[in-house]
Amino acid sequence: MATLSDMKEVFRRADAVCFDVDSTVIKEEGIDELAKCCGVGDAVTEMTHKAMGGSMSFKTALIERLSIIRCSREQVNKLLTDHPPQLTPGISELVDRLHQRGIKVYLISGGFRCIVEHVATQLNIPLHHVYANRLKFYFNGEYAGFDESQPTAEGGGKGKVISMLKEQNGFENVVMIGDGATDLEACPPANAFIGCGGNVIRPQVKEKSLWYVTSFRELLKELEHI
């Protein structure tokens, strides 16, 4: 049975660290911000709570929320211009420290690539280290659905991405960090999971996490022990 000290040891010896994005790396839920921008914020926020709490399948929640939002390319661009994602305090320093130690950093999100790439650029994370859902648009910019073939569109998708990363890169120690049920279920195949409650505490995730933090500075301190 794994212990807290085991988890900390895996983190200190990690080959790769994978972060969830919404409410973990950034302060908000990207899909909720997009919904607000499109004037349907309340209906979508309620569904996000159900998805993150595990009471609705992730794919069902994604399809239903997007069918309400139906955002155009122009609305997505307006969101990024007027309300760019806000980084969680300490994440820039943590990613920099991981990079300095030669640890690969990935963003694995059930959110949208167009938003997550913006975050990756701010954190100097290569875009080929981003795994997220792709929105589709018609030539006139109107909403045309999303790419359902992406692993992150499915429940258990984050675990599938981690399995693929381990297989392709030979990683032995991979850590998943996130706030939600979809992050928790990615361990295994992740070797350790760190619950993150810096922006929102989800009780069922906190209860099931051997290691739960409310600030990225706690993880920075852990790296100083090496």
Side-chain angles (χ1 to χ4, degrees):
M1 187 73 177
T3 65
L4 177 58
S5 60
D6 292 336
M7 293 284 164
K8 291 186 174 184
E9 181 65 18
V10 172
F11 178 60
R12 288 194 296 266
R13 294 191 292 110
D15 301 305
V17 174
C18 302
F19 289 92
D20 169 54
V21 177
D22 296 325
S23 295
T24 298
V25 167
I26 63 174
K27 294 179 180 180
E28 58 275 284
E29 289 284 331
I31 195 165
D32 292 349
E33 296 304 306
L34 188 55
K36 285 180 202 167
C37 194
C38 297
V40 291
D42 290 347
V44 169
T45 298
E46 178 61 29
M47 227 173 278
T48 298
H49 287 317
K50 287 181 180 176
M52 290 300 97
S55 62
M56 179 187 286
S57 88
F58 181 80
K59 191 168 192 177
T60 298
L62 184 61
I63 291 169
E64 291 191 15
R65 286 179 293 178
L66 282 172
S67 70
I68 295 169
I69 299 171
R70 301 192 65 79
C71 54
S72 66
R73 192 193 301 275
E74 184 181 349
Q75 285 171 314
V76 173
N77 292 339
K78 181 173 170 54
L79 172 69
L80 289 172
T81 302
D82 295 353
H83 303 285
Q86 301 297 302
L87 294 177
T88 301
I91 187 62
S92 295
E93 295 90 332
L94 179 56
V95 171
D96 284 348
R97 185 72 53 82
L98 292 169
H99 280 155
Q100 286 165 13
R101 296 184 53 77
I103 298 168
K104 307 291 185 191
V105 178
Y106 295 85
L107 299 180
I108 307 179
S109 174
F112 306 121
R113 190 172 184 95
C114 48
I115 297 173
V116 178
E117 284 188 345
H118 185 89
V119 175
T121 301
Q122 286 181 277
L123 294 172
N124 296 312
I125 294 171
L127 296 187
H128 66 276
H129 284 198
V130 170
Y131 293 86
N133 292 314
R134 293 178 185 272
L135 294 173
K136 297 196 288 193
F137 302 99
Y138 292 111
F139 288 116
N140 64 1
E142 289 184 5
Y143 176 69
F146 69 99
D147 182 355
E148 296 191 34
S149 71
Q150 296 295 315
T152 47
E154 300 274 359
K158 292 178 181 179
K160 288 175 190 165
V161 172
I162 289 172
S163 291
M164 182 194 70
L165 291 175
K166 290 176 89 169
E167 191 175 325
Q168 290 180 350
N169 300 282
F171 296 147
E172 292 185 11
N173 287 308
V174 176
V175 178
M176 180 72 207
I177 299 175
D179 69 287
T182 60
D183 309 311
L184 177 64
E185 70 180 13
C187 179
N191 303 86
F193 171 71
I194 303 171
C196 182
N199 293 303
V200 59
I201 292 176
R202 305 193 194 279
Q204 74 283 14
V205 175
K206 185 176 182 181
E207 284 165 22
K208 294 176 182 175
S209 301
L210 265 177
W211 191 3
Y212 196 84
V213 301
T214 53
S215 168
F216 285 126
R217 288 180 173 78
E218 294 174 60
L219 300 183
L220 277 165
K221 276 185 194 168
E222 199 59 43
L223 290 175
E224 289 169 6
H225 294 168
I226 301 164

